[in-house]
Amino acid sequence: MSETSLTSLLTGPVEVVGTGLIGTSIALACRRAGLEVLLTDTTSDHVRTATGLGAGRARTAQDVPQLVVVAVPPDALGAVINQVLDTAGPETVVTDVGSVKAGPLAAVAGHPAISRYVGSHPMAGTEHSGPLSANAELFDGRPWAIVPGPDATSSATRVVEALALVCGAVPVHLSPVEHDRAVARTSHVPHLMASLVAGTLAGASPEHLALSGTGVRDVTRVAGGDPHLYSQIISGNATAVATLLAEVRDRLDLALEAVAAGDRAGLESLLAYGQAGTRAIPGKHGAAPQPMEAVRIALPDQPGGLARLFSDAGDSGVNIEDVRIDHDPGRPVGLVELDVVVGRAEELRAALESRGWVTHR
Amino acid sequence: MSETSLTSLLTGPVEVVGTGLIGTSIALACRRAGLEVLLTDTTSDHVRTATGLGAGRARTAQDVPQLVVVAVPPDALGAVINQVLDTAGPETVVTDVGSVKAGPLAAVAGHPAISRYVGSHPMAGTEHSGPLSANAELFDGRPWAIVPGPDATSSATRVVEALALVCGAVPVHLSPVEHDRAVARTSHVPHLMASLVAGTLAGASPEHLALSGTGVRDVTRVAGGDPHLYSQIISGNATAVATLLAEVRDRLDLALEAVAAGDRAGLESLLAYGQAGTRAIPGKHGAAPQPMEAVRIALPDQPGGLARLFSDAGDSGVNIEDVRIDHDPGRPVGLVELDVVVGRAEELRAALESRGWVTHR
């Protein structure tokens, strides 16, 4: 079925239960598409705020939504999905947008309306919260996992896929078990490992921390996320996380043995396996990862410096694929690394040097 | 002693043994300061290349350097330092720039000239190699660990500190044991953990990897480094790495137990400890970490887009402290996150929106 005909399956009204960041953003995206949107939240202030933003109107008892989107905190998902299935119309499709999918599905097991429930999971940033942070563009081009259980009808699944498309997202079809394994691998275990590394820095002496470079900053960045939220998410995916984490623990034991025993070949082979893993992550826009070269430029730390740099880089005609700013302590000037596809670095470097920039090789 | 009077202690000639990236960059920085520089390498092509770059001249038998800088691969350090101490003049100070310090020091134990050996370690990027990648500015503002052993004289130590200052670096004084513990914590263990996470991605199904976001990319980035080089470096710091890695393994076991047992409070407390660790890393220019707010902007993927964005951001007068580009697969437009100090985000957002940019909250 084409995207256009799929999208036309969503005719509304769409009810959004839980008008936080994700719920209100979905409501705004549906409104953008001209759909009628009904809003429900245990906090009536949130509904008023979302209504004020143009996200829809408060739901009344007479409304019969085509699709209900449950966007409540992880701990409340199961109860709210059940309640919505209990009370919704006989044709109403129900989805949720939680980060873990087996739990909500288990919570509705045996419900007479289970064929109309299809879990989903938009991969969108959540470091802010509340309706005031919402945006209709939040899901543009993001993966959105569509996760039907074994009892879901294909027509219900297509309505949820249509929601993802209306929101501008890219649907990715996965079973609940596969989805939860996937996010254990791409999100929950990396988060835990980053947190363990960051934990070794807590209480370390300032002299030791003075040697921190960009590597340890990158590795630990995600560990800055809200511990309360992540403990809910990770606990909700306990089976998949524990399975993968046990594998990682076994490989950590191998690494530890190799280091302690001076088995350098063993260590090198573990590191080579990791290097291969970094190349498995899909590149920009889902394409195969492209080999990149970095151009390093010294940057005076003052307003407008980056603007001048990017303006000069833009004039070169070489597209910048990624950018990093080095914040090493004590550095009076910043160091900016611009990634370009292999073969274009020299061109960019020459263009920048001709405009007075100091590049590092 | 002031920086200026310390710097004046380095009068040259400076001999650089090993004209790769680091050695040639040190040579160029010394030449920039007007010092005479002598070059030695087992590969005579490298000496010719470095000489051609203006890094100094080939050493002759008559030359008596004030300071010899040993910049050879980790495995060769001990032998080369010993050989230099054997043959150098009676007043010549010797340093090395290896990533680990206890090993080279142990290699020279009992040498009659040990009082003139002072290890050191500039914290500078090494993803490229060879003299052609060298640059006099490589060390500007970077930490440079000064690591005298117990037998080193203070006058020898001051000469090595002067070298760090002449290269524009910020000297950080540490004992060999403390240095090696510090880099185990800030570099080697983070690298190993990143490699273990990346290893879980090797061979994972494309459907799973399609859900990869910026988090897992950040966590695994350093694991892309050369396995052969890092196995040398990490093996050279086996004691400190194994000690810390064993601690991390024990905490990983706690995390695994907490996840498997559904002990959410235990998990949250581990995550909170990691969050505290992310705040312990020194901020820009060695200052205390400043709380940041992110402004998220949709960016069309074409040359010049970043230039226009930074030009408009520069006009706002709000300094950009950090920048990230989101490369989620399938995203037709990029998402740029600009970090600014807390309290300035709204100003930047308004300035960008008034120029037609779509910001995400």
Side-chain angles (χ1 to χ4, degrees), chain B residues 9-34:
Chain B
L9 293 179
L10 190 65
T11 51
V14 175
E15 180 184 359
V16 173
V17 179
T19 51
L21 167 69
I22 300 290
T24 306
S25 295
I26 291 172
L28 288 168
C30 288
R31 291 293 303 133
R32 179 181 64 180

Side-chain angles (χ1 to χ4, degrees), chain A residues 26-38:
Chain A
I26 292 172
L28 287 168
C30 289
R31 290 293 302 132
R32 179 182 63 180
L35 295 166
E36 182 173 12
V37 177
L38 316 169

Side-chain angles (χ1 to χ4, degrees), chain A residues 75 123 125 127 132-133 135 137-138 140-143 170 174 178-179 181-183 185-186 190-202 204 207-212 215-225 227-228 230-232 234-235 238 241-242 245-246 248-249 251-253 256 259 264 267-268 270-275 277-278 280-286 296 301-303 306-307 310-311 319-323 325-332 335 337 358-361, chain B residues 75 123 125 127 132-133 135 137-138 140-143 170 174 178-179 181-183 185-186 190-202 204 207-212 215-225 227-228 230-232 234-235 238 241-242 245-246 248-249 251-253 256 259 264 267-268 270-275 277-278 280-286 296 301-303 306-307 310-311 319-323 325-332 335 337 358-361:
Chain A
D75 282 351
M123 303 284 139
E127 71 272 42
L132 281 172
S133 305
N135 194 289
E137 288 79 30
L138 188 64
D140 278 358
R142 297 271 190 178
V170 180
L174 289 163
E178 288 304 309
H179 170 274
R181 285 184 186 152
V183 290
R185 197 178 292 275
T186 58
H191 192 104
L192 279 170
M193 294 287 278
S195 186
L196 290 168
V197 174
T200 69
L201 307 177
E207 290 75 28
H208 286 198
L209 294 171
L211 302 187
S212 301
V216 68
R217 283 160 217 267
D218 282 349
V219 173
T220 57
R221 186 169 293 118
V222 293
H228 185 67
Y230 279 95
S231 67
Q232 272 190 56
I234 292 170
S235 298
V241 171
L245 199 55
V248 171
R249 196 263 321 273
R251 292 187 72 82
L252 195 159
D253 277 336
L256 188 49
V259 171
R264 196 187 291 183
L267 180 59
E268 186 173 335
L270 277 162
L271 293 171
Y273 192 68
Q275 190 190 39
T278 63
I281 303 177
K284 206 173 172 185
H285 303 177
R296 310 168 82 210
D301 183 23
Q302 55 196 44
L306 273 172
F310 281 98
S311 167
N319 201 19
I320 309 300
E321 303 291 337
D322 205 350
V323 54
I325 300 183
D326 182 342
H327 281 175
D328 269 8
R331 206 170 169 82
L335 182 72
E337 295 197 340
V358 175
T359 70
H360 295 191
R361 273 150 210 276
Chain B
D75 282 351
M123 303 284 140
E127 71 272 42
L132 282 171
S133 305
N135 195 290
E137 287 79 30
L138 188 65
D140 279 358
R142 296 273 189 177
V170 180
L174 288 164
E178 287 305 309
H179 169 275
R181 285 184 186 152
V183 290
R185 198 179 291 275
T186 59
H191 191 105
L192 279 170
M193 295 287 278
S195 184
L196 290 168
V197 174
T200 70
L201 307 177
E207 290 75 28
H208 286 198
L209 294 171
L211 302 187
S212 301
V216 68
R217 283 160 218 266
D218 282 349
V219 173
T220 56
R221 186 168 294 118
V222 293
H228 184 66
Y230 279 95
S231 67
Q232 273 190 56
I234 293 171
S235 298
V241 171
L245 199 57
V248 171
R249 196 262 321 272
R251 292 187 73 83
L252 195 159
D253 277 337
L256 188 50
V259 171
R264 196 184 295 183
L267 180 59
E268 185 171 337
L270 277 161
L271 293 172
Y273 191 69
Q275 190 189 41
T278 63
I281 303 177
K284 208 173 170 184
H285 304 180
R296 310 167 82 211
D301 183 23
Q302 55 196 45
L306 274 172
F310 281 98
S311 168
N319 201 19
I320 309 301
E321 303 289 339
D322 205 350
V323 53
I325 300 183
D326 183 342
H327 282 176
D328 269 8
R331 205 169 170 83
L335 183 71
E337 295 197 341
V358 175
T359 70
H360 296 190
R361 272 149 211 277

